[in-house]
Amino acid sequence: MNKRKLLTILLCAALLCSGAAAYFYTPYPVAPQPELLHISMIRRTEQDAENTLTYENITDRIDPDTLIRQLTSCKATRLPVYQSSYTLGDMLYEIDVLYDEQPLHFVLGKDYLVYESAPWYHRL
């Protein structure tokens, strides 16, 4: 193989790798269209008198329009992160929504995550 062909192949490979890296490391909008977003449930972790962490459903106390504006502005990494689970102690809020009729879950707390189906999460 002559040097010109080898150089062309190496240049194409470098361009493909840099393009793929740019794509995967550029955050994407999680749920960009507000009309397709429906809030199902918002839960907050709460500590009771015995220091036990539990969920508290606060859906009816949150303004849905404000929350939808906030969620539609969220961006996440394209590369999924494997996480076997998260504990109530790591979480402050969990927001369950339907986006385009598909379930989507936001976990806010120690980490800021979004996922469609566990255990593959995307960092916000």
Side-chain angles (χ1 to χ4, degrees):
M1 182 179 293
N2 66 30
K3 288 183 181 182
R4 186 176 177 99
K5 280 186 179 181
L6 181 60
L7 185 60
T8 303
I9 290 171
L10 289 174
L11 181 62
C12 287
L15 286 173
L16 284 173
C17 289
S18 63
Y23 174 78
F24 284 113
Y25 288 104
T26 302
Y28 75 98
V30 176
Q33 298 175 322
E35 65 275 2
L36 298 178
L37 188 74
H38 172 72
I39 297 170
S40 301
M41 187 182 311
I42 305 162
R43 292 182 295 257
R44 176 178 68 188
T45 55
E46 184 175 84
Q47 197 166 17
D48 64 14
E50 293 88 36
N51 290 329
T52 304
L53 290 171
T54 59
Y55 277 127
E56 178 188 12
N57 186 339
I58 60 169
T59 308
D60 57 346
R61 292 189 252 162
I62 303 296
D63 177 30
D65 295 330
T66 302
L67 182 58
I68 286 173
R69 277 196 305 278
Q70 294 297 317
L71 294 178
T72 56
S73 68
C74 287
K75 293 186 178 187
T77 59
R78 291 185 192 273
L79 289 174
V81 177
Y82 178 80
Q83 186 166 329
S84 59
S85 66
Y86 55 88
T87 65
L88 285 178
D90 294 337
M91 185 188 79
L92 295 175
Y93 295 94
E94 184 172 35
I95 305 167
D96 297 335
V97 302
L98 288 176
Y99 183 71
D100 197 17
E101 303 299 323
Q102 300 298 316
L104 190 60
H105 310 279
F106 292 84
V107 179
L108 310 174
K110 180 181 169 187
D111 290 318
Y112 291 78
L113 306 169
V114 63
Y115 68 95
E116 293 174 16
S117 62
W120 296 104
Y121 298 84
H122 297 270
R123 294 199 189 283
L124 293 173

